[in-house]
Amino acid sequence: MDTKVSPDQVIDAQQVGRSVPRMEGAAKVTGRAEYIHNLRLPGVLHGKVFRSRIAHGRILSIDTSAARAVAGVHSVVTGEDIRRIIPEPYYGPAFHDQPILALDKVRYVGEPVAAVLAADPHVAEYAAGLITAEYEELPAVFNEVEAATSSVYVHDELKPAITFPDLKHLKGKRNTNVALDYKLRRGDVAAAFASAAHVFEHEFHTQHIMHTPFEPFVALAEPLDDSVTIHTSSQMPAYVRLEIARLLGWPENKVRARTAYLGGGFGAKVYVKIEPLVVALALLARRPVKMSLTMEEQFYVIGKHATTFRIKSAITADGRIAARKCEVFWNGGAYADIGPRVSQKSGFTSTGPYQIECAEIDSAEIYTNLPPAGAFRGFGIPQLVWAYESHTDIIARALKIDPLEFRRRNILHDGQEHPTGTVMRDAEFDEVLVRIAARMGWDQPFDRGTGTKRRGRGIAIGVKASIAPTTSFALVNVSADGSAVLFCNTIDMGQASNTANAQLVAEVLGIAAERVKVTQADTDVTPFDMGTLGSRSMFHMGHAVRLAAEHARTQLEALCAEGGITYSGEQSVAQGFRKKFGMQAGNIFGVGHYTSRYQAADPVTGMSKEVTPFWMIGGAGIELEVDTETGHVTILRMVNVVDAGRAINPRVVETQISGAALMQMGQTMTEEMIFTSAGELTNPSLAYYKIPGIHDIPASIENEAVEAETRNGPFGSKGVGESGTFGVSPAIANAIDDAVGVRLYSLPLTPESIYRAICAARGEPLED
Amino acid sequence: MSVATRTINFTLNGAPVSATIAPHHTLLEVVRDTFGLNGARESCGQGLCGCCTLMVNGQSVSGCLSLAAFADGATVTTVENLAVDGKLSPLQTAFIECGAFQCGFCTSGFLLMATELLASNPKPTEGEIRNHLSGNLCRCATYPEVMRAVQLAAERMA
Ligand code: FES
Ligand code: FES
């Protein structure tokens, strides 16, 4: 909150649509911003974890004696010890499949098996290194396509949580690794293929990725007499409370989860991750326990699904997509986490943003013996867009139709029905394509380079359905001096949600956004919200905040009217309170909540009239140069265009587009978790898992949010945190094809894979 | 795991201080845990990201790799020292104006490195800015905004 802005300043100015500087800016540039990473409590014990070194095996014994003997060790805890306080210690949002510490079996290399507590974290770490375990090794399965039909089963029996009705039928199912199979059946696909002028079929792959938030997972649990407080770097405090309460069999009000600013999340910190273990350790030790994972350990907590996507299209003689078949295998790792939701929600849009009358989708979440995969900026969409927009480009080039023209000929327009059966609304696909093309000068001649330096350009566009139905609550508390505080559980992890939400409150109350304070989430005081993920918050929480502020304003106006005062912002409210209570005293609470509409998919056809309350749309245009002697790619220009509805804070929207696109660029060019044939991760370090640095940033980046309005969104807005990722990977692959005439089917697009493809195209393939 | 401790004396953000340390303690741990300065942070823990940047005798170092014992007698400054009497430095102001951070976890490191750069090279080229900041990673990928902020601050300080 900036108290330098006077209470009655800019009362009439619009707060929505203004590039208000981030409210936590000064705290972040002075090093004073609060992160849970910083938290120190007297008497705290530090927890360090001993992890499985095999991918699949029955636990025969765990020897903790050497660790216990280390001076300074408080205690060593195994899965069986946890049963003393949590008899059924399995957690997870979709399946209750993940043990707090391994029980009976281990299912991936890196799975937590035991934990050491000590006052000195170095002592705990040293002692954890002395623990040993013996296993009866079992065969393991790592590839998602193999695992779909393998006789090696990661779990003996499926245990869906009650939360998702569409998973109920999997309860008790044995002899399978398929944790969800979403199907869409629309139209006569077979007939469309039979009568097609052209049929194209390809298979694409994406790799395992880790979010690497720079504030690694950290949580501190404080046991109190009959309750527990969890300080955690989480995108979902309300869910942390709910899941911990369920595990302990306690009412929700005995569990308090609070957060501070997050040092990045990107989907890694949704649902619960290390919180169940930290809480269990604290309750067993009856002392506060803090766990701060290292960057290396993060790779064993959660990642992004590797995928195999088989896609097949039927094209008519006039270049229209008559039918499309999509078969997507999602490598979910050893525990489901939110993976089944990723494969279903993304599954909806596997066919892309095109008018397709006949469609068939099979999108399956598959258990394997690898670290779990879950939500990651885009919730599965970047993997899909990579495949369908590479495929789309191949078709256009094969039919000698300009790739832009081919897309525009098939793109969905408002009022048309998406293959799921939902009618498109406020979805500016064509405008996004038009703006990318305009910025790139698509119809202008292009310098294609000479000799060993060849240039090319490519475009791509993707679509995402929001996660629905979900609920947000918000509370606005106006004090007797007229100043307002917003209580909500939307977590500011860098996307400036606090600033945007303050702008909404300010807009409604007619005051300056800088005057509004936003609290950090604390489930003892901030009301329920499903969580900060999937770009849902601007839309859902935006509505809840707007309604709460409107509720407050109605009461404030009445208060003023009672005292014969005309409402005009903070000072009028202060007068109103003084008149009513005889002094500066009292509060007015405005409350609001919002639940998005959704119609569950038909169990047979997979169709629904309402799969999403709004559509996210993002496209990219790339110009690049390929060195044909090394396969090295230099991205010269990157154009990112999205439909973000009406921007609440234009500058923040731009940094979201840019940040998302550059993050996706890293996943396209360099990032990859590399496993041995035994499922051991070889590169859990920023040294060998290469994320973009400042030298990797293209010389020219342009970002644009098209003129648009989401008519059912708060002040016309919608979410934008992910849209910038969608088009990047295929636009780069399409540009490489344009430059050197080779097509790549697997991410990342390393110089080696490009050089191999160039050699193969010359008829001189390199040896493996 | 019992280890001998010793006392080191150094200057921290302009004030003389002393700390009791073990041989394995890093300067980052001492600055954070003994003196409660949270601006420098451990992320990669391997000298790869720059989140833990500190200035020792006027030179930027990775606090996660610097042993505290070697700071005996040194002059150490942290991001908390950039603002004077609550007044932000031109770089800090430029970072806010240009939106040169999202989550902010890496920001202290970028600010100290950029301050070091402008002290020795008040008019850096774009290439010089990139080179000097190449040891700092930002997972939110705010690099374009950081470049603009450094250029803006350089212009204003000229
Ligand atoms: S934490 Fe020191 S360089 Fe990354
Ligand atoms: S701002 Fe998040 S890591 Fe740089």
Side-chain angles (χ1 to χ4, degrees), chain A residues 686, chain B residues 28 41-53 61-65 135:
Chain A
L686 294 186
Chain B
L28 177 66
R41 316 171 167 113
E42 179 157 326
S43 181
C44 73
Q46 296 180 319
L48 301 163
C49 71
C51 290
C52 60
T53 304
V61 302
S62 293
C64 70
L65 295 185

Side-chain angles (χ1 to χ4, degrees), chain A residues 421-479:
Chain A
T422 301
V423 172
M424 303 312 295
R425 224 179 5 174
D426 299 335
E428 302 290 345
F429 293 109
D430 195 50
E431 183 62 11
V432 167
L433 285 174
V434 166
R435 291 301 305 148
I436 295 171
R439 281 184 175 265
M440 294 182 78
W442 192 258
D443 54 356
Q444 306 294 310
F446 176 67
D447 172 8
R448 305 203 144 266
T450 51
T452 59
K453 299 277 169 69
R454 296 303 173 120
R455 294 182 170 203
R457 54 186 180 169
I459 53 169
I461 183 168
V463 60
K464 177 175 186 281
S466 175
I467 308 161
T470 65
T471 296
S472 293
F473 275 72
L475 188 152
V476 171
N477 178 2
V478 181
S479 297

Side-chain angles (χ1 to χ4, degrees), chain A residues 214 263-264 266, chain B residues 101-107 110 137-142:
Chain A
F214 271 16
F266 316 113
Chain B
F101 49 86
Q102 291 190 22
C103 78
F105 211 72
C106 67
T107 308
F110 275 98
L137 295 173
C138 172
R139 190 46 159 164
C140 303
T142 55

Side-chain angles (χ1 to χ4, degrees), chain B residues 95 106-115 133 136-138 143 146:
Chain B
F95 266 55
C106 67
T107 308
S108 308
F110 275 98
L111 278 165
L112 286 174
M113 294 302 291
T115 304
L133 300 181
N136 293 68
L137 295 173
C138 172
Y143 304 111
V146 168

Side-chain angles (χ1 to χ4, degrees), chain A residues 28 35 40 122 214 685 692, chain B residues 29 38 43 46 102-103 143:
Chain A
K28 282 186 175 169
Y35 301 92
R40 285 174 279 269
H122 297 288
F214 271 16
S685 153
Chain B
E29 285 179 278
N38 292 322
S43 181
Q46 296 180 319
Q102 291 190 22
C103 78
Y143 304 111

